[in-house]
Amino acid sequence: MAIDLRSDTVTQPSAGMREAIASAPVGDDVYGDDPTVNALEERAAALFGHEAGLFCPTGSLANQLAIRTLVKPGEEIIVETRSHIVRAELGAAAAFSGITTRTWAAEHGLLRAEDPLTIAHENAGPYLVSTKAIAVENTHNFGGGTIQSISEIEKLSAAAHARGIAMHLDGARIWNAHVASGVSFTEYGKHFDTISVCLSKGLGAPIGSLMLSSKERIAEARIWRKRYGAGMRQVGVLAAAGHYALDHNIARLAEDHARAKKIAVAIAAVDASIVDPKNVATNIVGLDLTAIGISASELTNRCKSAGLLISALGPYYARLVTHLDFDDTQCDAAIEILKRTLVAQ
Ligand SMILES: Cc1ncc(COP(=O)(O)O)c(C=O)c1O
């Protein structure tokens, strides 16, 4: 079977997770009757020091529900150029909520508080679009799994709030940021008005994300979730996977980070222009193929023929993501394939 490093979403639920799914107490969640969902929402909210949570099928929905509680039609959110919200949610903020988006660009997606603060324009009057929210992605997926500095987050949050601008955290991989940086979930949580977190990325659940915020915003988002057709019934079977993921799969992310670093070091030894291991802080390895002149699709095809699946995310940008179904033996095999394919003519 091929080694699959396209994403950390490709994992299989473990035997223990499947048992938890099978034995979950459930109820009709649209009526608020599912004890496993209710407990997961309370648990996740408490973890980040927020009042309430809302279980969602996807991180995209959690992001979009959060954003629409912060920004009204005709107003704007600002985000980093390569953030998931603007690049990979198919224009949802505009399509569903009438929200406009403006971007700032950051090397490796890394936040510098002054970048969004410089372009933000709150209460812009009758001619310009008013900025109502700033979103931060942590870790930053297309930036290469980079971790945002807590002091930049703190600076940005304080200045944004002083100007009446709300803060959203796309925390699909906040677990990775926490494990690698040691910053607590409550420390991350306190700087944001809304948060999205995913259980279906590095934590290995088959599905499940949460929006976290105040009771009031969650109540509003609950109505919109139903309006979008994502009110779910005996969905405790999925929330149970989420509980299992939180119980068992956070600390082990350090292993994924170590394997990603090992891959980056091996690739840098082939050609240092492709990746700088210093920039590989978590489980994502971004490959810049510009200097070696192999397109991302060419490399992806070569790897596939050799039994390794990776993603082409730009003409000369490829990505590998380590995860809980990828062990040391596969890591060594993947490195051998990459070494061969990167030098082949
Ligand atoms: C940073 C980030 N945010 C949000 C999402 C959206 O998650 P989903 O695929 O569950 O909609 C992803 C998915 O990969 C992501 O990487």
Side-chain angles (χ1 to χ4, degrees):
M1 226 177 55
I3 300 170
D4 195 346
L5 297 183
R6 286 171 301 167
S7 177
D8 47 10
T9 57
V10 299
T11 53
Q12 295 284 319
S14 63
M17 185 177 277
R18 286 169 192 264
E19 262 170 49
I21 289 170
S23 60
V26 296
D28 187 332
D29 181 50
V30 171
Y31 290 94
D33 284 350
D34 192 305
T36 311
V37 172
N38 293 342
L40 183 65
E41 291 176 343
E42 281 164 28
R43 177 181 182 178
L47 199 58
F48 287 85
H50 279 230
E51 280 177 2
L54 184 69
F55 190 53
C56 294
T58 65
S60 299
L61 184 63
N63 273 337
Q64 294 301 327
L65 290 174
I67 289 169
R68 71 165 308 133
T69 69
L70 303 175
V71 188
K72 290 205 274 302
E75 298 173 340
E76 82 180 2
I77 184 163
I78 55 183
V79 302
E80 201 277 330
T81 315
R82 285 178 297 166
S83 64
H84 196 276
I85 286 174
V86 69
R87 284 223 48 217
E89 294 179 13
L90 303 174
F96 294 142
S97 309
I99 294 169
T100 71
T101 307
R102 223 148 35 95
T103 59
W104 81 91
E107 202 179 0
H108 305 298
L110 283 171
L111 177 69
R112 294 182 315 164
E114 73 256 32
D115 290 342
L117 289 171
T118 305
I119 63 167
H121 197 170
E122 70 277 19
N123 307 321
Y127 299 113
L128 301 172
V129 183
S130 293
T131 309
K132 292 294 165 182
I134 296 171
V136 174
E137 187 171 310
N138 196 16
T139 65
H140 196 299
N141 180 351
F142 300 139
T146 43
I147 302 169
Q148 308 299 359
S149 129
I150 190 67
S151 62
E152 290 301 305
I153 290 174
E154 203 171 355
K155 233 190 291 173
L156 173 60
S157 171
H161 284 129
R163 289 166 59 176
I165 299 169
M167 294 282 297
H168 172 66
L169 170 64
D170 179 347
R173 294 184 181 79
I174 193 68
W175 326 106
N176 300 79
H178 158 74
V179 166
S181 69
V183 174
S184 71
F185 295 123
T186 45
E187 178 63 26
Y188 280 128
K190 75 181 189 197
H191 300 294
F192 295 93
D193 302 282
T194 56
I195 302 178
S196 67
V197 298
C198 290
L199 304 161
S200 58
K201 310 285 177 311
L203 298 193
I207 178 172
S209 294
L210 291 125
M211 172 187 159
L212 311 173
S213 188
S214 62
K215 281 187 184 152
E216 205 180 356
R217 283 200 194 91
I218 292 297
E220 186 188 341
R222 195 176 290 280
I223 292 169
W224 279 98
R225 184 187 65 172
K226 183 75 169 67
R227 195 169 276 142
Y228 286 166
M232 300 173 286
R233 303 295 178 177
Q234 284 72 17
V235 73
V237 287
L238 300 178
H243 281 291
Y244 186 92
L246 293 176
D247 287 339
H248 296 94
N249 292 344
I250 295 179
R252 64 149 307 286
L253 291 170
E255 291 176 37
D256 299 347
H257 300 173
R259 292 187 186 110
K261 182 76 98 183
K262 189 173 175 190
I263 293 172
V265 168
I267 294 174
V270 175
D271 190 316
S273 73
I274 301 172
V275 63
D276 183 345
K278 278 204 303 295
N279 297 330
V280 177
T282 58
N283 66 329
I284 297 179
V285 187
L287 306 182
D288 179 354
L289 305 168
T290 325
I292 62 165
I294 301 175
S295 72
S297 58
E298 171 64 20
L299 181 67
T300 305
N301 289 338
R302 287 183 194 180
C303 286
K304 192 173 178 187
S305 309
L308 173 64
L309 305 181
I310 66 172
S311 296
L313 293 181
Y316 287 91
Y317 183 73
R319 186 192 69 178
L320 295 85
V321 189
T322 59
H323 52 72
L324 55 67
D325 287 344
F326 176 67
D327 62 18
D328 283 331
T329 310
Q330 289 171 310
C331 187
D332 291 339
I335 286 172
E336 285 315 309
I337 292 171
L338 285 160
K339 278 191 198 161
R340 280 204 312 274
T341 51
L342 283 166
V343 293
Q345 291 308 305

